[in-house]
């Protein structure tokens, strides 16, 4: 099968989904209008609530959600065959993932920019707020650990990435100062930043930086500590200083890189060498439900709802912009997942060597993507060595933006918990940020990070299901059409709940009680929140579509 034809077909489905389905949701389900009040204008404070042009915000939102997960997940999941992986990425993202992201963004817009955790108190009941915040805390805890480890591993494996990734930070600070303090239009600084960033890649290739001589066998740990220290600083600064400009200029680099991969794929037109449906190795879990939770963010992600309601909703300048940011942002991530799936299906010289066991796929999925994607870039006359460094920089850029956004969201969650329980220390942004980066570091130092991916995937989609519970109940009680989120809610809860139960059995059998406790707590909280949602529907009268409640 020609991989280029599969790519074009997937992109066509994305385009049709955005053109027709997202417009239907915006107009007939959410009723978005230009004159709707938005939190960024009502509560504008120059720090968290900042009205932002939709194209700038799209770049920030896309680069925040597009971490390493939609690369790692498909790179593992192709062990079941490329056909089920492609089908879930393409159709799951349009009808589940993009609906989830769009709906949680609109939900937050309708509730003064509150996070989905805060909104549960008014939609489901006061006690569910704490339950939901705890679920979010555990997920972000895992997100930070997974992304910090992934970035550190690539710094060690590809030392040529160190200079360009760190140079991005300096460029971002300069862009933030020029655009938000000096009011210089974004166009020319953005173009200059992009050129400088690619120049820094060339410098990094010629001047790789390794810290092995300083830290020896502990260089991975040193990088993890450095990354978390950076994330701490980024989480306490105003968004315009580092987070927003870094994500904006980074999004340009990511778009160019993703475009180059697609162009190389279309030029090379490689044949898919992975089996359509694979006879899996003995250590591979069942395709149902594990294919779905393994692909994770490539089709639907609870983390996206946290970005939508945690940061992006506070920067929407016009309510209709939520369509591009929420629905369009998820399709951008799905495009990355599509390319990642094809890279490990058609770009590897020895596919069977990479996927001889599930353990090999889990530990080597990221390396397989770097190799396969570099094959696409060689069609653009880029030598393989530099091509692999360029791809590694692309992966780290995706992961790093999600890392610092995740720490910032975790800071918000801890501050909310501090307010609920009267813990003044947690209400301090510096203390909350320290806890946000300290807890994943402890998990890493405990040596449990190797087994995180299955738990991360299940927890991530469980949170997506819970977010859809809140959205669906809100749509129902306000008299709006609710099946558009209700059906995805049922599917995601069933799939992720089953996967979590199977994970728990495996952890207990292996004596991995730390992850068993974490997963068991998340599953118990999920069941509780779902029951609260059922109770909320039973006790709340449904408004008609024309009532004041429905028009809120």
């Amino acid at each position: 099968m020609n991989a280029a034809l599969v790519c074009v077909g997937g992109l066509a489905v994305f385009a049709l989904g955005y053109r027709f389905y997202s417009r239907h949701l915006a107009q007939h389900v959410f009723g978005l209008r230009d004159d709707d009040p938005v939190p960024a204008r009502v509560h504008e404070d120059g720090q968290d609530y900042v009205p932002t042009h939709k194209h700038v915000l799209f770049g920030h939102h896309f680069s925040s959600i597009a971490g390493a997960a939609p690369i790692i997940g498909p790179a593992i999941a192709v062990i079941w065959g490329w056909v089920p992986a492609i089908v879930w990425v393409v159709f799951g993202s349009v009808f589940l993932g993009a609906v989830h992201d769009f709906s949680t963004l609109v939900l937050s817009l309708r509730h003064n920019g509150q996070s989905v955790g805060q909104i549960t108190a008014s939609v489901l009941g006061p006690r569910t707020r704490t339950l939901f915040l705890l679920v979010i805390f555990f997920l972000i805890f895992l997100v930070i650990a997974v992304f910090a480890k992934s970035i550190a591993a690539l710094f060690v494996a590809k030392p040529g990435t160190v200079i360009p990734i760190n140079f991005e930070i300096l460029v971002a600070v300069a862009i933030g100062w020029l655009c938000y303090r000096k009011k210089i239009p974004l166009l020319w600084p953005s173009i200059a930043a992009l050129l400088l960033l690619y120049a820094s890649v060339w410098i990094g290739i010629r001047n790789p930086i390794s810290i092995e001589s300083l830290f020896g066998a502990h260089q991975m740990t040193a990088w993890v500590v450095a990354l978390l220290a950076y994330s701490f600083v980024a989480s306490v600064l105003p968004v315009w200083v580092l987070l927003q400009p870094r994500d904006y200029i980074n999004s340009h680099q990511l778009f160019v890189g993703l475009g180059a991969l697609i162009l190389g794929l279309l030029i090379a037109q490689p044949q898919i060498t992975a089996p359509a449906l694979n006879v899996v190795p003995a250590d591979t879990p069942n395709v149902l439900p594990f294919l779905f939770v393994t692909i994770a963010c490539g089709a639907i992600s609870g983390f996206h709802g946290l970005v939508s309601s945690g940061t992006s909703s506070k920067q929407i300048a016009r309510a209709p912009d939520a369509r591009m940011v929420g629905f369009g942002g998820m399709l951008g991530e799905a495009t990355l997942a599509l390319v990642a799936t094809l890279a490990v299906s058609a770009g590897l010289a020895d596919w069977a060597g990479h996927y001889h066991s599930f353990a090999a796929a889990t530990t080597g999925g990221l390396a397989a993507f770097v190799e396969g994607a570099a094959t696409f870039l060689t069609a653009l006359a880029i030598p393989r060595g530099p091509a692999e460094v360029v791809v590694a920089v692309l992966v780290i850029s995706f992961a790093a933006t999600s890392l610092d956004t995740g720490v910032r969201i975790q800071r918000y969650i801890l501050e909310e918990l501090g307010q609920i329980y009267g813990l003044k220390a947690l209400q301090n942004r510096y203390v909350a940020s320290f806890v946000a980066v300290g807890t994943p570091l402890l998990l890493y130092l405990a040596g449990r990070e190797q087994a995180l991916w299955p738990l991360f995937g299940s927890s991530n989609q469980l949170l997506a299901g819970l977010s859809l519970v809140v959205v669906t109940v809100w749509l129902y009680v306000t008299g709006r059409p609710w099946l558009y989120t209700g059906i995805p809610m049922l599917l995601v809860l069933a799939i992720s709940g089953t996967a979590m139960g199977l994970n728990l059995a495996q952890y207990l059998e292996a004596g991995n009680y730390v992850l068993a406790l974490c997963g068991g707590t998340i599953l118990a909280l999920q069941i509780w929140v779902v029951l609260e949602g059922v109770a909320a529907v039973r006790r709340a009268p449904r408004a008609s579509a024309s009532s004041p409640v429905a028009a809120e």
Side-chain angles (χ1 to χ4, degrees):
M1 184 69 180
N2 190 316
L5 293 178
V6 177
C7 181
V8 171
L11 294 177
V13 174
F14 295 154
L16 292 172
Y18 182 79
R19 175 68 177 84
F20 297 105
Y21 195 47
S22 71
R23 184 175 66 177
H24 176 78
L25 294 173
Q27 294 178 353
H28 302 292
V29 177
F30 302 129
L32 301 180
R33 301 185 303 271
D34 281 334
D35 59 351
D36 289 341
V38 292
R41 298 197 183 279
V42 175
H43 305 291
E44 184 174 359
D45 61 5
Q47 180 156 315
D48 291 322
Y49 293 86
V50 180
T52 306
H53 191 279
K54 65 181 180 180
H55 293 108
V56 177
L57 183 55
F58 175 84
H60 164 62
H61 180 83
F62 170 67
S63 55
S64 295
I65 65 173
I71 295 173
I72 299 174
I76 298 172
V78 77
I79 196 170
W80 287 289
W82 69 268
V83 169
I86 290 290
V87 169
W88 177 235
V89 166
V90 172
F91 292 98
S93 61
V94 172
F95 295 105
L96 281 80
V99 172
H100 165 271
D101 293 13
F102 188 15
S103 63
T104 52
L105 180 53
V106 172
L107 179 73
S108 184
L109 287 178
R110 301 299 196 207
H111 291 82
N112 293 312
Q114 291 180 311
S115 70
V116 67
Q118 292 174 306
I119 296 167
T120 55
S122 59
V123 175
L124 303 186
R127 61 188 171 192
T128 57
R129 178 185 177 188
T130 302
L131 300 176
F132 209 97
L133 290 175
L134 289 173
V135 173
I136 296 171
F137 171 83
F138 279 111
L139 174 63
I140 298 297
F141 166 67
L142 296 173
V143 165
I144 295 170
V146 167
F147 287 162
K149 175 183 175 293
S150 298
I151 297 171
L154 281 177
F155 276 158
V156 173
K158 302 291 181 183
T161 61
V162 174
I163 287 178
I165 292 300
N166 286 275
F167 183 69
E168 286 179 12
I169 299 173
L170 300 178
V171 173
V173 172
I175 292 292
W177 181 76
L178 288 172
C179 296
Y180 290 92
R181 286 304 190 199
K182 296 300 182 180
K183 305 299 181 182
I184 295 175
L186 275 170
L187 178 61
W188 291 111
S190 299
I191 294 173
L194 187 64
L195 295 175
L196 288 172
L197 289 175
Y198 278 108
S200 72
V201 172
W202 180 81
I203 295 173
I205 292 172
R206 289 182 169 270
N207 300 276
I209 295 179
S210 173
I211 59 173
E212 185 176 8
S213 60
L214 296 175
F215 297 98
H218 302 291
Q219 60 176 324
M220 273 277 293
T221 300
W223 279 123
V224 169
V225 171
L227 287 163
L228 293 177
Y230 155 76
S231 299
F232 170 86
V233 174
S235 71
V236 298
L237 292 173
V239 290
W240 65 265
V241 174
L242 178 57
L243 184 65
Q244 195 178 79
R246 181 174 189 261
D247 287 354
Y248 178 67
I249 61 174
N250 206 18
S251 67
H252 286 74
Q253 181 181 220
L254 302 179
F255 290 138
V256 171
L258 188 55
L261 290 175
I262 294 174
L263 180 61
L265 170 60
L266 296 178
I267 292 173
Q269 297 193 29
Q271 293 296 309
I272 294 178
T273 56
L277 295 172
N278 192 28
V279 179
V280 296
D283 66 336
T284 307
N286 293 331
V287 63
L288 295 176
F290 284 101
L291 168 77
F292 304 103
V293 298
T294 299
I295 288 179
C297 304
I300 180 170
S301 168
F303 177 73
H304 295 185
L306 304 184
V307 176
S308 293
S309 67
T311 58
S312 297
S313 65
K314 298 176 176 65
Q315 300 170 56
I316 290 284
R318 296 169 51 255
D321 293 350
R323 178 188 172 201
M324 171 185 279
V325 175
F327 202 100
M330 177 59 218
L331 294 186
E333 172 141 347
T335 301
L336 173 61
L338 175 65
V339 172
T341 307
L342 294 174
V344 296
S345 300
L348 300 177
D350 181 17
W351 188 91
H354 283 279
Y355 293 95
H356 59 84
S357 70
F358 188 73
T362 302
T363 57
L366 203 55
F369 169 77
V370 170
E371 179 186 335
T375 300
F376 296 164
L377 291 185
T378 58
L380 304 179
I382 301 175
R384 172 162 288 277
E388 290 189 357
V389 173
V390 169
V391 173
V393 168
L394 185 69
V395 173
I396 294 173
S397 297
F398 276 122
T401 50
S402 291
L403 177 64
D404 50 27
T405 299
V407 173
R408 193 178 193 91
I409 292 173
Q410 190 78 311
R411 190 200 98 199
Y412 293 154
I413 298 302
L414 289 166
E415 288 174 355
E416 286 185 45
L417 290 171
Q419 292 170 3
I420 293 172
Y421 292 106
L423 302 174
K424 292 187 179 297
L426 281 182
Q427 297 176 45
N428 181 287
R429 69 173 55 207
Y430 299 102
V431 174
S433 294
F434 180 79
V435 175
V437 300
T439 47
L441 177 60
L442 291 176
L443 180 65
Y444 177 86
L445 294 176
R448 299 294 184 182
E449 81 287 349
Q450 297 295 339
L452 285 181
W453 191 261
L455 179 59
F456 163 74
S458 301
S459 304
N460 193 21
Q461 293 197 354
L462 276 176
L463 179 59
L466 295 182
S467 297
L468 287 171
V469 169
V470 181
V471 172
T472 301
V473 172
W474 171 67
L475 290 172
Y476 178 83
V477 299
T478 55
R480 296 180 173 94
W482 58 273
L483 286 177
Y484 296 93
T485 59
I487 293 175
M489 173 196 73
L490 294 175
L491 288 173
V492 174
L493 288 176
I495 291 169
S496 56
T498 302
M500 181 63 83
L502 294 173
N503 279 332
L504 289 179
Q506 181 182 2
Y507 295 146
L508 291 172
E509 183 180 352
N512 196 338
Y513 299 113
V514 173
L515 296 186
L517 177 62
C518 184
T521 302
I522 293 172
L523 184 59
L525 291 171
Q526 177 224 10
I527 295 171
W528 195 343
V529 172
V530 170
L531 293 176
E532 291 285 350
V534 173
V537 170
R538 291 171 63 97
R539 67 173 175 262
R542 191 181 188 207
S544 65
S546 59
S547 71
V549 174
E552 70 176 354

